[in-house]
Coordinates of all heavy atoms in Angstrom, one line a residue:
Q19 N -32.9 0.8 -4.9 CA -33.9 0.8 -3.8 C -35.3 1.1 -4.3 O -35.5 1.6 -5.4 CB -33.5 1.9 -2.9 CG -32.2 1.5 -2.1 CD -31.5 2.7 -1.6 OE1 -31.8 3.8 -1.9 NE2 -30.4 2.4 -0.8
N20 N -36.2 0.8 -3.5 CA -37.6 1.1 -3.8 C -38.2 0.5 -5.1 O -39.1 1.1 -5.7 CB -37.9 2.6 -3.8 CG -37.3 3.3 -2.5 OD1 -37.4 2.7 -1.5 ND2 -36.8 4.5 -2.7
S47 N -32.5 4.8 -18.6 CA -32.9 6.2 -18.6 C -32.3 7.1 -19.6 O -31.1 6.9 -19.9 CB -32.5 6.8 -17.2 OG -33.2 6.1 -16.2
K48 N -33.0 8.0 -20.1 CA -32.5 9.0 -21.1 C -31.9 10.1 -20.3 O -32.4 10.5 -19.3 CB -33.6 9.6 -22.0 CG -33.8 8.7 -23.2 CD -34.4 9.6 -24.3 CE -33.4 9.7 -25.5 NZ -33.5 10.7 -26.4
I49 N -30.7 10.6 -20.8 CA -30.0 11.6 -20.0 C -30.3 13.0 -20.7 O -30.1 14.0 -20.1 CB -28.5 11.3 -20.0 CG1 -28.2 9.9 -19.4 CG2 -27.6 12.4 -19.4 CD1 -28.7 9.8 -17.9
N50 N -30.7 13.0 -21.9 CA -31.0 14.2 -22.7 C -29.8 15.1 -23.0 O -29.9 16.3 -23.1 CB -32.1 15.0 -22.0 CG -33.4 14.2 -22.0 OD1 -33.8 13.6 -23.0 ND2 -34.2 14.3 -20.9
I51 N -28.7 14.4 -23.1 CA -27.5 15.1 -23.6 C -27.1 14.2 -24.8 O -26.8 13.0 -24.5 CB -26.3 15.2 -22.6 CG1 -26.7 16.0 -21.4 CG2 -25.1 15.8 -23.2 CD1 -25.7 16.0 -20.2
I54 N -24.0 11.8 -24.8 CA -24.1 10.8 -23.7 C -25.1 9.7 -24.1 O -24.8 8.5 -24.0 CB -24.5 11.5 -22.4 CG1 -23.5 12.5 -22.0 CG2 -24.6 10.4 -21.3 CD1 -22.1 12.1 -21.6
D55 N -26.2 10.1 -24.6 CA -27.2 9.1 -24.9 C -26.7 8.2 -26.1 O -27.0 7.0 -26.1 CB -28.6 9.7 -25.3 CG -29.3 10.2 -24.0 OD1 -29.2 9.5 -23.0 OD2 -30.0 11.2 -24.0
H58 N -24.3 5.8 -24.7 CA -25.0 4.7 -24.0 C -25.5 3.7 -24.9 O -25.4 2.5 -24.6 CB -26.1 5.3 -23.1 CG -25.5 6.1 -21.9 ND1 -26.3 6.9 -21.1 CD2 -24.3 6.1 -21.4 CE1 -25.5 7.4 -20.2 NE2 -24.3 7.0 -20.3
I109 N -18.1 17.0 -19.4 CA -19.4 17.7 -19.1 C -19.5 18.0 -17.6 O -19.9 19.0 -17.2 CB -20.5 16.8 -19.6 CG1 -20.5 16.8 -21.1 CG2 -21.9 17.4 -19.1 CD1 -21.4 15.8 -21.8
M110 N -19.0 17.0 -16.8 CA -19.0 17.2 -15.3 C -18.2 18.4 -14.9 O -18.6 19.2 -14.0 CB -18.5 16.0 -14.6 CG -19.6 14.9 -14.5 SD -19.2 13.6 -13.3 CE -18.3 12.5 -14.4
M113 N -20.1 21.5 -15.7 CA -21.2 21.7 -14.8 C -20.8 22.0 -13.4 O -21.6 22.5 -12.5 CB -22.0 20.3 -14.6 CG -22.8 19.9 -15.8 SD -23.4 18.2 -15.4 CE -24.7 18.5 -14.2
E114 N -19.5 21.8 -13.1 CA -18.9 21.9 -11.8 C -19.7 21.1 -10.7 O -20.1 21.6 -9.7 CB -18.8 23.4 -11.4 CG -17.8 24.1 -12.3 CD -17.7 25.6 -11.9 OE1 -18.4 26.0 -10.9 OE2 -17.0 26.3 -12.7
T115 N -20.0 19.9 -11.1 CA -20.8 19.1 -10.1 C -20.1 18.6 -8.9 O -18.9 18.1 -9.1 CB -21.5 17.9 -10.9 OG1 -22.1 17.0 -9.9 CG2 -20.4 17.1 -11.7
P116 N -20.7 18.6 -7.8 CA -20.0 18.1 -6.6 C -19.9 16.5 -6.6 O -19.2 16.0 -5.8 CB -20.9 18.5 -5.4 CG -22.2 18.8 -6.0 CD -22.0 19.2 -7.5
L117 N -20.6 15.9 -7.6 CA -20.6 14.4 -7.6 C -19.4 13.9 -8.4 O -19.3 12.7 -8.6 CB -21.9 14.0 -8.2 CG -23.2 14.3 -7.5 CD1 -24.4 13.9 -8.3 CD2 -23.2 13.7 -6.1
M118 N -18.6 14.8 -9.0 CA -17.6 14.4 -9.9 C -16.6 13.3 -9.4 O -16.4 12.3 -10.0 CB -16.8 15.6 -10.4 CG -15.8 15.2 -11.5 SD -15.4 16.6 -12.5 CE -14.1 15.9 -13.4
M120 N -16.9 11.1 -6.9 CA -17.6 9.8 -6.7 C -17.9 9.2 -8.0 O -17.6 8.0 -8.2 CB -18.9 10.1 -5.9 CG -19.9 9.0 -5.7 SD -20.9 8.5 -7.1 CE -22.0 9.9 -7.2
H121 N -18.3 10.0 -9.0 CA -18.7 9.5 -10.3 C -17.5 8.9 -11.0 O -17.5 7.8 -11.5 CB -19.4 10.6 -11.1 CG -20.2 10.1 -12.3 ND1 -21.3 10.7 -12.6 CD2 -19.9 9.2 -13.2 CE1 -21.8 10.1 -13.7 NE2 -21.0 9.2 -14.0
N160 N -27.3 -0.1 -14.5 CA -27.5 0.4 -13.2 C -26.7 1.8 -13.0 O -27.3 2.7 -12.4 CB -26.9 -0.5 -12.1 CG -27.3 -0.2 -10.7 OD1 -28.4 -0.1 -10.4 ND2 -26.3 0.2 -9.9
H161 N -25.6 1.9 -13.6 CA -24.8 3.2 -13.5 C -25.5 4.3 -14.2 O -25.6 5.4 -13.7 CB -23.4 3.0 -14.0 CG -22.6 4.2 -14.0 ND1 -21.9 4.6 -12.9 CD2 -22.3 5.1 -15.0 CE1 -21.3 5.8 -13.2 NE2 -21.5 6.1 -14.5
I162 N -26.1 4.0 -15.4 CA -26.8 5.0 -16.1 C -28.0 5.5 -15.3 O -28.2 6.7 -15.1 CB -27.2 4.5 -17.5 CG1 -26.0 4.2 -18.4 CG2 -28.2 5.5 -18.2 CD1 -26.4 3.5 -19.7
N163 N -28.8 4.5 -14.9 CA -30.1 4.8 -14.2 C -29.9 5.5 -12.9 O -30.8 6.3 -12.5 CB -30.9 3.5 -14.0 CG -31.4 3.0 -15.4 OD1 -31.4 3.7 -16.4 ND2 -31.9 1.8 -15.4
V164 N -28.8 5.2 -12.2 CA -28.6 5.8 -10.9 C -27.6 7.0 -10.9 O -28.0 8.1 -10.7 CB -28.1 4.8 -9.9 CG1 -27.9 5.4 -8.5 CG2 -29.2 3.6 -9.7
T165 N -26.4 6.7 -11.3 CA -25.3 7.7 -11.1 C -25.3 8.8 -12.3 O -25.3 10.0 -12.0 CB -23.9 7.0 -11.0 OG1 -24.0 6.1 -10.0 CG2 -22.9 8.0 -10.7
D166 N -25.5 8.3 -13.5 CA -25.5 9.3 -14.6 C -26.8 10.1 -14.5 O -26.8 11.3 -14.7 CB -25.5 8.5 -16.0 CG -24.2 8.0 -16.4 OD1 -23.2 8.3 -15.7 OD2 -24.1 7.2 -17.3
Y167 N -27.9 9.5 -14.1 CA -29.1 10.2 -14.0 C -29.0 11.3 -12.9 O -29.4 12.4 -13.1 CB -30.3 9.2 -13.7 CG -31.6 9.8 -13.8 CD1 -32.3 10.0 -15.0 CD2 -32.3 10.3 -12.7 CE1 -33.5 10.6 -15.1 CE2 -33.6 10.9 -12.8 CZ -34.2 11.0 -14.0 OH -35.4 11.6 -14.1
K168 N -28.5 10.9 -11.8 CA -28.3 11.8 -10.6 C -27.4 13.0 -11.0 O -27.7 14.1 -10.7 CB -27.7 11.0 -9.5 CG -28.2 11.5 -8.1 CD -27.4 10.9 -7.0 CE -27.8 9.5 -6.6 NZ -26.9 8.9 -5.6
T169 N -26.4 12.7 -11.7 CA -25.4 13.7 -12.1 C -25.9 14.6 -13.1 O -25.8 15.9 -13.0 CB -24.1 13.0 -12.6 OG1 -23.6 12.1 -11.6 CG2 -23.0 14.1 -12.8
F170 N -26.4 14.1 -14.2 CA -26.7 14.9 -15.4 C -28.1 15.4 -15.5 O -28.4 16.4 -16.1 CB -26.3 14.1 -16.7 CG -24.8 13.8 -16.7 CD1 -24.4 12.5 -16.7 CD2 -23.9 14.8 -16.8 CE1 -23.1 12.1 -16.7 CE2 -22.5 14.5 -16.9 CZ -22.1 13.1 -16.8
V171 N -29.0 14.6 -15.0 CA -30.4 15.0 -15.1 C -30.9 15.8 -13.8 O -31.3 16.9 -13.9 CB -31.4 13.8 -15.3 CG1 -32.8 14.3 -15.5 CG2 -30.9 13.1 -16.6
L172 N -30.7 15.1 -12.7 CA -31.1 15.8 -11.4 C -30.1 16.9 -11.1 O -30.5 18.0 -10.6 CB -31.2 14.8 -10.3 CG -32.1 13.6 -10.5 CD1 -32.1 12.7 -9.2 CD2 -33.6 14.1 -10.7
G173 N -28.9 16.8 -11.4 CA -27.8 17.8 -11.2 C -28.1 19.0 -11.9 O -27.9 20.1 -11.4
K174 N -28.5 18.9 -13.2 CA -28.8 20.0 -14.0 C -29.9 20.9 -13.4 O -29.9 22.1 -13.3 CB -29.2 19.5 -15.4 CG -28.9 20.4 -16.5 CD -29.2 19.7 -17.8 CE -29.3 20.5 -19.0 NZ -29.7 19.7 -20.1
K175 N -30.9 20.1 -12.9 CA -32.1 20.8 -12.2 C -31.6 21.6 -11.0 O -32.0 22.7 -10.8 CB -33.1 19.8 -11.8 CG -34.3 19.7 -12.7 CD -35.4 19.0 -11.9 CE -35.9 17.8 -12.7 NZ -36.5 16.7 -11.9
D176 N -30.7 20.9 -10.2 CA -30.2 21.6 -9.0 C -29.5 22.9 -9.4 O -29.7 24.0 -8.8 CB -29.2 20.7 -8.3 CG -29.9 19.6 -7.6 OD1 -31.1 19.6 -7.5 OD2 -29.2 18.6 -7.2
N177 N -28.7 22.8 -10.5 CA -27.9 24.0 -10.9 C -28.9 25.1 -11.3 O -28.7 26.3 -11.0 CB -27.0 23.7 -12.1 CG -25.7 23.1 -11.6 OD1 -25.5 22.9 -10.4 ND2 -24.9 22.6 -12.5
K178 N -29.9 24.7 -12.0 CA -31.0 25.7 -12.4 C -31.6 26.4 -11.2 O -31.9 27.6 -11.2 CB -32.0 25.1 -13.3 CG -31.6 25.1 -14.8 CD -32.8 24.9 -15.7 CE -32.4 24.7 -17.1 NZ -33.0 23.6 -17.8
D179 N -32.0 25.5 -10.2 CA -32.6 26.0 -9.0 C -31.7 27.1 -8.3 O -32.2 28.1 -7.8 CB -33.0 24.9 -8.1 CG -34.1 24.0 -8.6 OD1 -34.7 24.5 -9.6 OD2 -34.3 22.9 -8.1
Q180 N -30.4 26.8 -8.3 CA -29.5 27.7 -7.7 C -29.4 29.1 -8.4 O -29.2 30.1 -7.8 CB -28.1 27.1 -7.6 CG -27.9 26.1 -6.5 CD -26.7 25.3 -6.6 OE1 -25.8 25.6 -7.4 NE2 -26.6 24.2 -5.9
E181 N -29.6 29.0 -9.7 CA -29.5 30.3 -10.5 C -30.7 31.2 -10.2 O -30.6 32.4 -10.4 CB -29.5 29.9 -12.0 CG -28.1 29.5 -12.4 CD -28.1 28.8 -13.8 OE1 -29.1 29.0 -14.5 OE2 -27.2 28.0 -14.1
K182 N -31.8 30.6 -9.8 CA -33.0 31.4 -9.6 C -32.9 32.5 -8.5 O -32.2 32.2 -7.5 CB -34.2 30.5 -9.2 CG -34.8 29.9 -10.5 CD -36.0 29.0 -10.1 CE -36.4 28.1 -11.2 NZ -37.2 27.0 -10.8

Side-chain angles (χ1 to χ4, degrees):
Q19 288 155 357
N20 307 323
S47 297
K48 271 207 116 197
I49 301 302
N50 295 321
I51 299 173
I54 301 292
D55 285 326
H58 286 168
I109 294 169
M110 281 191 270
M113 289 171 75
E114 297 178 4
T115 170
L117 300 175
M118 184 154 171
M120 175 279 290
H121 198 140
N160 189 64
H161 178 82
I162 294 172
N163 289 348
V164 178
T165 306
D166 286 349
Y167 191 82
K168 215 190 275 174
T169 306
F170 299 113
V171 181
L172 302 180
K174 208 169 163 188
K175 258 199 234 149
D176 288 348
N177 280 355
K178 269 198 191 136
D179 290 345
Q180 281 166 15
E181 282 162 20
K182 274 179 198 164

